[in-house]
Amino acid sequence: MATQAEIAAHLDLSDRSVRELKKRGVFHADARGNMDLDACRVAYIRHLRERAAGRASEAADEEGADLALERALLAREQRERIALENAETRKELVRIGDYTAAVVSVLEMVKAKILRVPAKIAKSDSKLKARMADALIEALTELSQTRIAEEAGGSDDDEPDDL
């Protein structure tokens, strides 16, 4: 068994470095604080290999950031971004702005066609034409006030809508 100072001298480390490695669980001590010299040497070599391979990082900074963890998170974000770009290229995904503009355009065409119906059906009967136009405008107004989230089940209201 060796003391912390002996481990530090053997591994060419400072006492503080040995304390930090012990605190992070790289080195293990017995109840009296002594450590096995051979076990510490092997543990330190393995620790250095892990750091060199990028699977472990130097001590976390004061905010708790871990370099290996941050790299892994960055890699995941990059992978997700590329996957989204690929899905968009394959036409499996569309940007919400493009989709919204297309839907609005189609709805405007539908509205224009619907509002031409009274003129086509009641060409000479102006009263019928006016009643049909009023009914269609009322229906379109009601439809325009419908919230898509509510219709899709995203409403916070538990009360049924009036029909």
Side-chain angles (χ1 to χ4, degrees), residues 117-119 121-135:
V117 168
I121 294 177
K123 294 179 181 175
S124 61
D125 189 346
S126 62
K127 289 183 181 181
L128 177 61
K129 185 176 170 181
R131 285 190 359 237
M132 287 177 65
D134 289 344

Side-chain angles (χ1 to χ4, degrees), residues 51 54 66-76:
R51 279 187 39 211
D66 181 339
L67 183 58
L69 176 63
E70 293 296 325
R71 285 181 181 156
L73 293 173
L74 175 62
R76 183 176 61 192

Side-chain angles (χ1 to χ4, degrees), residues 13-56:
L13 297 172
S14 66
D15 281 348
R16 181 178 180 176
S17 295
V18 172
R19 268 194 314 277
E20 285 295 315
L21 290 167
K22 194 169 135 183
K23 180 179 171 185
R24 287 193 277 149
V26 176
F27 297 152
H28 301 287
D30 64 13
R32 294 187 350 203
N34 291 325
M35 296 175 275
D36 183 303
L37 187 64
D38 292 331
C40 287
R41 182 179 60 248
V42 170
Y44 186 60
I45 291 169
R46 288 181 179 159
H47 169 72
L48 291 176
R49 284 182 185 152
E50 290 291 309
R51 279 187 39 211
R55 293 184 293 263

Side-chain angles (χ1 to χ4, degrees), residues 125-146:
D125 189 346
S126 62
K127 289 183 181 181
L128 177 61
K129 185 176 170 181
R131 285 190 359 237
M132 287 177 65
D134 289 344
L136 290 173
I137 289 171
E138 183 181 332
L140 289 171
T141 301
E142 286 179 23
L143 289 171
S144 71
Q145 294 170 351
T146 302

